[in-house]
Amino acid sequence: MLRIGLTGGIGSGKSTVSRRLTELGAAVVDADLVAREVVAPGSPGLQAVADRFGAAVVRADGTLDRAALGAVVFDDERARRDLEAITHPLIAARTEALMGQAGPDAIVVHDVPLLVEKHLGPAYHLVLVVDTPAETRVGRLVEQRGMTVGEARARMAHQATDEQRRVAADVLLDNSGSTQELTDQVDRLWRDRIQPYADNLRTRTRARRADVPTLVDYDDTWPEQAQRLIERISHGMGALAPEIEHIGSTAVPGLAGKDVVDLQIGVADLRDADAPEFLERMEALGFPRSTGNTMDQVKDEVPDPSMWVKRFHGTCDPGRIVHVHVRETEGAGWQYALLYRDWLRGDATAREDYLAEKRRLAGSCETTDAYAVAKEPWFNAVWPRMQAWAQRTSWHS
């Protein structure tokens, strides 16, 4: 099942995106509707709320008086927590039930207004954010919902900022134009990323880019992308992935590189990474095991091959290629990757030298595999420079 979180500020046009995704075949679970359902007339949830807060929060027709309940919990932290203790488990259970009804191969979209505020992003394979200029949203709230400008701004002030939503987003859908333009974006996203992602997830197939070593300029969002991926893996793996690091060129500010995010998971023993639960969870998260890639290149400084063993996982997401290297934290491969990253971060000359080598090889190698192999002599030769830097800076992993 491909799980997608959908959010956006009030007045952003999120409902338009939700409606179009439904038309394309997604199963949409609306968080607001679920929250109302669990306290519907005659429900156990409503009875529990009435038992805790009194009959005054229930109208004569048996529906929840939200205004009355809001007045009770607005300035009372304990009351608010009591309310959440009643409703949150019911909402979570109902949400999981609805997602389960969609089937194991479904594309499920969870429409959550407060996804960013509640830091729910790690629970999804992708987070979509409908991004709309603040003034446009104010205008829509005034025209379509009858709010005053002051009321609209007050509602917006109690939500996440535009920047916070952008940081949380795997995909930004620009809704500064027409409804048709927004719908066209959703259609392209569905065709080029969501549907192929779902197909790859179902078949446990790794997504790949064209096999050409192409360097791109450093992207300031690479660290944000890596952090979202780390949080996603950590959320899904728990104690099975005790350490996760962003490594490689995308982890070095200012350094050009292939548009591939490299992560490494540290384990005490690689047998832990071969356990069925580890493999199953990684596959469910969209990172299937790639066979055959079980060794880093042995370096002269540490010639013992057993110190360089690893496991490798690719991504099912065609829109963000990710390489996940699983290494023992006491192994040479784990330590080398961290030292190499930090050396490049801390030594401008090292960055310049490495970039020159990458550009030379990218211009002469026809495939990414050939490019990777051709870089190995460089990685081997710079070890003494890395060690000298580590000693000067008192570096430790």
Side-chain angles (χ1 to χ4, degrees), residues 67-339:
L69 180 60
V72 172
V73 304
F74 183 74
D75 283 326
D76 189 329
E77 180 68 16
R78 181 177 177 181
R80 183 181 63 79
R81 289 181 179 177
D82 287 349
L83 177 61
E84 291 176 348
I86 294 169
T87 60
H88 284 189
L90 296 172
I91 291 170
R94 182 56 179 158
T95 298
E96 285 301 314
L98 290 171
M99 289 183 174
Q101 291 172 14
D105 297 331
I107 297 172
V108 175
V109 176
H110 194 195
D111 183 340
V112 189
L114 299 182
L115 183 151
V116 175
E117 291 83 344
K118 294 185 178 181
H119 195 60
L120 301 177
Y124 309 102
H125 292 96
L126 285 176
V127 171
L128 316 185
V129 170
V130 186
D131 189 38
T132 309
E135 290 306 313
T136 301
R137 291 161 53 204
V138 169
R140 289 174 181 168
L141 293 172
V142 171
E143 295 173 10
Q144 299 173 12
R145 304 195 191 183
M147 295 184 187
T148 66
V149 171
E151 290 171 338
R153 294 192 186 282
R155 290 284 297 275
M156 291 166 58
H158 281 84
Q159 294 187 334
T161 66
D162 290 345
E163 180 58 28
Q164 288 170 329
R165 278 189 288 267
R166 288 171 187 147
V167 169
D170 296 295
V171 178
L172 278 176
L173 295 166
D174 179 11
N175 192 20
S176 59
S178 67
T179 299
Q180 186 58 54
E181 288 171 331
L182 178 61
T183 300
D184 289 344
Q185 289 180 67
V186 176
D187 288 353
R188 287 193 297 272
L189 176 65
W190 181 273
R191 179 190 67 233
D192 298 339
R193 188 170 186 178
I194 293 177
Q195 188 65 68
Y197 194 168
D199 292 342
N200 288 340
L201 188 63
R202 174 174 49 81
T203 59
R204 305 299 193 250
T205 301
R206 175 184 166 195
R208 296 175 180 269
R209 290 192 184 278
D211 190 22
V212 179
T214 303
L215 301 183
V216 299
D217 290 338
Y218 179 78
D219 185 338
D220 289 334
T221 71
W222 277 340
E224 294 172 2
Q225 295 180 50
Q227 185 59 32
R228 287 197 300 272
L229 291 161
I230 288 171
E231 291 179 2
R232 197 163 284 154
I233 293 172
S234 181
H235 179 270
M237 297 296 289
L240 296 177
E243 296 190 54
I244 311 174
E245 294 278 353
H246 181 201
I247 59 171
S249 294
T250 60
V252 181
L255 182 63
K258 299 192 305 299
D259 188 18
V260 176
V261 172
D262 281 279
L263 305 176
Q264 69 173 358
I265 295 176
V267 294
D269 191 311
L270 274 180
R271 286 175 293 188
D272 298 336
D274 291 333
E277 185 180 7
F278 187 100
L279 296 170
E280 288 166 6
R281 287 202 197 181
M282 286 293 285
E283 288 179 348
L285 289 168
F287 299 100
R289 171 71 57 87
S290 183
T291 60
N293 192 344
T294 59
M295 286 285 296
D296 290 313
Q297 185 69 36
V298 177
K299 309 298 188 293
D300 291 345
E301 295 286 332
V302 183
D304 181 358
S306 69
M307 297 295 288
W308 298 93
V309 292
K310 71 171 184 178
R311 301 293 182 264
F312 181 80
H313 294 252
T315 177
C316 294
D317 180 6
R320 164 39 61 212
I321 300 302
V322 183
H323 294 165
V324 183
H325 311 262
V326 186
R327 298 177 170 120
E328 294 180 352
T329 53
E330 297 301 317
W334 171 271
Q335 297 293 326
Y336 185 98
L338 295 182
L339 175 56

